[in-house]
Amino acid sequence: MEEYVVLVNPEDKVLGIMEKQQAHISGLLHRAFSVFLFNDKGEMLLQQRASQKYHSPNQWTNAVCSHPRAGETYEEGAKRRLKEELGIETELSEKFNFIYKADVGGGLWEHELDHVFTGIYNEDFHLNENEVQEVRYISMQDLNREITETPEKFTEWFKIILEEYKHNF
């Protein structure tokens, strides 16, 4: 099944829809969401992207990053992808939104109006192996160290969103 993204202007006015991979080739601004999940110890959940993903395979990123479908709110999309990728449900709260553009290699771009959500989760996961290889919790201190020492192991957008997150909190 082809996936589509919602193209928008910087004020989030809908301009149309486009097939996801074509939007990433064209670098057009589209709607997205990012979810940061934490456990009760304050550690952040990371997921390692599946090896068969068409871009950024095997790289670590935040709990979920994806795109709301046409007619779906940002929060509805975020909850849908938590279920589809990690097999979980949890409450989310929106923290901020911003626009970024990142070269993800292979002639592909993430140019997104990104709504960032956070949540708490301490239970088991039921990973979709087509999406996620592995998950782990990590302290912010260890995460900062790993990104500094091995930035190539993390998705480009995660590094950008994480910095924006730190500036907002």
Side-chain angles (χ1 to χ4, degrees), residues 38 48 153 158 163:
F38 298 90
Q48 186 177 29
K153 291 184 178 179
F158 174 54
E163 285 306 309

Side-chain angles (χ1 to χ4, degrees), residues 1 7 13 30 33-34 36-37 40 49 62 66 69-70 72 89 95 99 108 118 123 133 136 138 147 149 154 160 169:
M1 180 176 97
L7 303 177
K13 181 180 184 297
H30 56 276
F33 52 80
S34 297
F36 287 3
L37 290 182
D40 285 339
R49 290 169 57 84
N62 53 293
S66 194
R69 293 177 175 152
E72 185 176 56
E89 295 179 23
K95 297 302 183 183
I99 294 173
L108 301 172
T118 62
E123 298 175 41
Q133 285 190 130
R136 65 183 169 121
I138 188 170
I147 289 176
E149 292 174 1
F154 296 87
I160 293 168
F169 293 96

Side-chain angles (χ1 to χ4, degrees), residues 20-28 30 54-55 67 100-112 157:
K20 180 173 71 170
Q21 192 164 355
Q22 186 56 50
H24 290 154
I25 291 168
S26 304
L28 296 176
H30 56 276
Y54 78 94
H55 73 78
H67 311 94
Y100 74 93
K101 190 170 187 177
D103 181 346
V104 296
L108 301 172
W109 293 88
E110 288 286 9
H111 188 194
E112 299 183 331
W157 65 87

Side-chain angles (χ1 to χ4, degrees), residues 18 25 27 30 38 40 42 56 74 82 90 92 106 116 122 130 132 135 141 154 156 161 165:
M18 180 179 278
I25 291 168
H30 56 276
F38 298 90
D40 285 339
S56 311
Y74 288 94
L82 280 174
T90 193
L92 299 175
V116 179
N122 293 289
N130 295 319
V132 182
V135 293
Q141 181 179 352
F154 296 87
E156 290 303 315
I161 298 164
Y165 179 83

Side-chain angles (χ1 to χ4, degrees), residues 5-9 13-18 29-30 70:
V5 297
V6 179
L7 303 177
V8 293
N9 71 8
K13 181 180 184 297
V14 175
L15 304 176
I17 62 169
M18 180 179 278
L29 183 64
H30 56 276

Side-chain angles (χ1 to χ4, degrees), residues 38-145:
F38 298 90
N39 62 18
D40 285 339
K41 298 179 203 169
E43 298 168 319
M44 181 184 285
L45 181 74
L46 298 182
Q47 73 148 274
Q48 186 177 29
R49 290 169 57 84
S51 60
Q52 67 267 26
K53 298 292 278 186
Y54 78 94
H55 73 78
S56 311
N58 303 310
Q59 289 185 311
W60 290 95
T61 197
N62 53 293
V64 169
C65 301
S66 194
H67 311 94
R69 293 177 175 152
E72 185 176 56
T73 69
Y74 288 94
E75 184 174 358
E76 289 167 345
K79 287 185 173 189
R80 172 179 52 83
R81 289 306 287 172
L82 280 174
K83 188 76 170 158
E84 291 172 355
E85 292 185 28
L86 304 176
I88 67 169
E89 295 179 23
T90 193
E91 289 302 310
L92 299 175
S93 57
E94 186 171 346
K95 297 302 183 183
F96 63 94
N97 65 76
F98 74 114
I99 294 173
Y100 74 93
K101 190 170 187 177
D103 181 346
V104 296
L108 301 172
W109 293 88
E110 288 286 9
H111 188 194
E112 299 183 331
L113 172 57
D114 191 29
H115 285 241
V116 179
F117 295 86
T118 62
I120 304 292
Y121 190 78
N122 293 289
E123 298 175 41
D124 293 332
F125 297 93
H126 306 283
L127 304 181
N128 177 343
E129 62 188 31
N130 295 319
E131 299 285 342
V132 182
Q133 285 190 130
E134 183 180 346
V135 293
R136 65 183 169 121
Y137 283 103
I138 188 170
S139 72
M140 292 301 286
Q141 181 179 352
D142 288 344
L143 176 59
N144 290 331
R145 181 183 45 75

